[in-house]
DNA sequence: CGGCATTTTGAGAAGCATCAACTATTGTGG
DNA sequence: CCACAATAGTTGATGCTTCTCAAAATGCCG
């Protein structure tokens, strides 16, 4: 059940443990439990379940989805290490989204009732930082979705993902793509075919080099330019 | 400078003061300051300013906007009484958006450093509820933006706004529209012309009755149906 | 009442969705 | 380890919706 402690976790610099000292990390472990590894397709939580915990991604990647009344699903977002999961459950104690592992992944969880204790342990700031980041990310994605040109939406997504990877200490140009093209197209508000064409076009013009599970950004500046003002 | 205290505030049932007793409300006032009324166009905060406070809308309405590198602006969201403002500043202590009053409005503010105290006063749950609501709203709007049909996006927005109004104890069918059509179109990821046509079409078919600053929903169910599965 | 900003309406063009067929990849069982 | 089946992704042609550009009309403020 227990994963390695925070001290040896590669994510501990960007999660709730950010800035804590060795001793404090041990104390934190009383509130924050790291879950067992989950494999692709497993659910962290499902829409409709009571929401007593929030989660921080420790390794791997997750997606969050909502299901409309008529049954079609929408991919709300992708979540990489150090990012929060399950905030929407805070509204009324019930999850309104579902969270699914995209690959073998782990997540740490803390009870919403323990938030005051997290604060007294010195993790309050980190928690707020994560909430703020989530909000910024939402804003960025909305901005992206509001652009009508498909090229701009894809470019914007890649630029944003690059920034998130850099914050993790990873390369901002060699981007992991653990999600399916179908999921990504859904998330970006376009059809699978359209996304495929855009990626193909980007590849042919040398902007990126795409494989199924990774996209290497060859021309970051050109991509950023596309993201910024291809539209209007 | 001081507005009337929480006890007489019509919003106190849905904001940080939710569920607090008379005496606790007085204590809350030490952390939460209500600002002077702002008139249309005034800024609560601007992108780039240090973010030491978060805000809760008390009356009126605000919009939040971001400005791209190339100068064009995007309307992130509209904020009505009881809704949080300024969360994005938590990420790194600097606001990344700007918040602007859409009409004569007031907002209460609390310092991010005072969050532990808010907790001890019994407002922790309310704060988390508001954060959760914000997250839900973001998800809903993303879902909306990802729909390709303009009709569905407008219908979805109206349905969502109706729910927010109901939570305030207001009518869910007579919706205030303090924002300009330009702002709304921008927020919904379409052109002004397209929005105008959609509203005109909805009006002609009897779904809604629109005036500049208010939209009355005549056929809530038909509108909801449009929002759900006009698309795919 | 007049001027200005906002909104509505119109015609044409570009882009994406849709439908359909084809290709590649993954995973499974022999 | 290979063959095959199922899934995932690519490519192509067509029609519809929205964007764009342009002009008129409405409402608002002084």
């Amino acid at each position: 059940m227990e994963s390695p402690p925070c001290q040896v976790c590669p994510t501990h610099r960007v999660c709730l443990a950010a800035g804590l000292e060795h001793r404090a990390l041990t104390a934190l472990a009383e509130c924050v439990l790291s879950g067992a590894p989950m494999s692709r397709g497993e659910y962290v939580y499902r829409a409709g379940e009571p929401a007593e915990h929030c989660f921080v991604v420790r390794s791997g990647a997750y997606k969050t989805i909502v299901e409309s009344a008529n049954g079609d699903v929408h991919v709300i977002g992708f979540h990489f290490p150090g990012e929060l999961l399950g905030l929407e459950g805070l509204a009324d104690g019930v999850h309104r989204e579902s969270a699914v592992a995209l690959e073998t992944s782990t997540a740490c969880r803390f009870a919403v009732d323990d938030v005051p204790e997290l604060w007294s342990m010195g993790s309050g700031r980190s928690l707020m930082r994560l909430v703020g980041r989530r909000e910024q990310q939402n804003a960025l994605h909305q901005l992206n979705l509001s652009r009508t040109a498909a090229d701009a939406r894809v470019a914007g997504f890649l630029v944003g993902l690059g920034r998130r990877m850099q914050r993790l200490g990873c390369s901002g140009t060699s981007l992991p793509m653990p999600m399916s093209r179908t999921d990504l197209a859904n998330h970006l508000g376009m059809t699978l075919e359209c996304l495929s064409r855009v990626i193909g076009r980007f590849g042919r013009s040398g902007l990126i080099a795409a494989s199924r599970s990774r996209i290497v950004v060859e021309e970051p500046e050109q991509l950023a330019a596309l993201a910024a003002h291809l539209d209007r």
Side-chain angles (χ1 to χ4, degrees), chain A residues 13-37:
Chain A
R13 320 187 105 259
V14 292
C15 74
L16 289 177
L20 295 190
E21 297 182 5
H22 210 78
R23 196 169 36 187
L25 284 180
T26 313
L28 189 65
E30 294 190 15
C31 279
V32 180
L33 296 173
S34 48

Side-chain angles (χ1 to χ4, degrees), chain A residues 65-105:
Chain A
I65 58 178
V66 288
E67 209 159 323
S68 306
N70 50 28
D72 57 51
V73 306
H74 175 72
V75 178
I76 295 290
F78 304 109
H79 302 256
F80 291 92
E83 298 177 350
L84 277 173
L85 219 47
L87 282 186
E88 30 68 58
L90 298 179
D92 41 14
V94 177
H95 284 297
R96 299 299 178 193
E97 312 171 351
S98 304
V100 186
L102 290 171
E103 58 188 352
T104 303
S105 308

Side-chain angles (χ1 to χ4, degrees), chain A residues 1-184:
Chain A
M1 178 67 189
E2 294 304 314
S3 299
C6 291
Q7 284 93 333
V8 299
C9 172
T11 310
H12 85 271
R13 320 187 105 259
V14 292
C15 74
L16 289 177
L20 295 190
E21 297 182 5
H22 210 78
R23 196 169 36 187
L25 284 180
T26 313
L28 189 65
E30 294 190 15
C31 279
V32 180
L33 296 173
S34 48
M38 310 178 67
S39 42
R40 184 165 174 278
E42 275 191 75
Y43 282 73
V44 183
Y45 52 83
R46 289 169 189 265
E49 289 178 357
E52 284 142 7
H53 298 87
C54 286
F55 302 82
V56 184
V57 180
R58 183 182 178 116
S59 67
Y62 296 85
K63 68 175 173 183
T64 44
I65 58 178
V66 288
E67 209 159 323
S68 306
N70 50 28
D72 57 51
V73 306
H74 175 72
V75 178
I76 295 290
F78 304 109
H79 302 256
F80 291 92
E83 298 177 350
L84 277 173
L85 219 47
L87 282 186
E88 30 68 58
L90 298 179
D92 41 14
V94 177
H95 284 297
R96 299 299 178 193
E97 312 171 351
S98 304
V100 186
L102 290 171
E103 58 188 352
T104 303
S105 308
T106 54
C108 300
R109 76 161 198 266
F110 58 91
V112 298
D113 290 326
D114 286 345
V115 169
E117 288 168 59
L118 282 175
W119 225 280
S120 66
M121 287 181 211
S123 283
R125 270 291 171 184
S126 298
L127 179 57
M128 289 180 75
R129 218 187 326 264
L130 294 187
V131 171
R133 269 213 245 291
R134 178 94 196 100
E135 182 77 8
Q136 279 189 11
Q137 213 148 86
N138 277 325
L140 183 70
H141 183 51
Q142 283 179 25
L143 203 152
N144 242 315
L145 284 175
S146 77
R147 297 193 179 283
T148 58
D151 287 15
R153 287 211 289 274
V154 176
F157 175 80
L158 292 175
V159 171
L161 185 57
R163 299 229 180 92
R164 285 155 80 180
M165 286 302 129
Q166 281 186 311
R167 188 153 36 220
L168 285 177
C170 301
S171 162
T173 53
S174 179
L175 309 174
M177 301 289 281
M179 71 294 282
S180 69
R181 294 282 136 103
T182 305
D183 280 346
L184 182 55

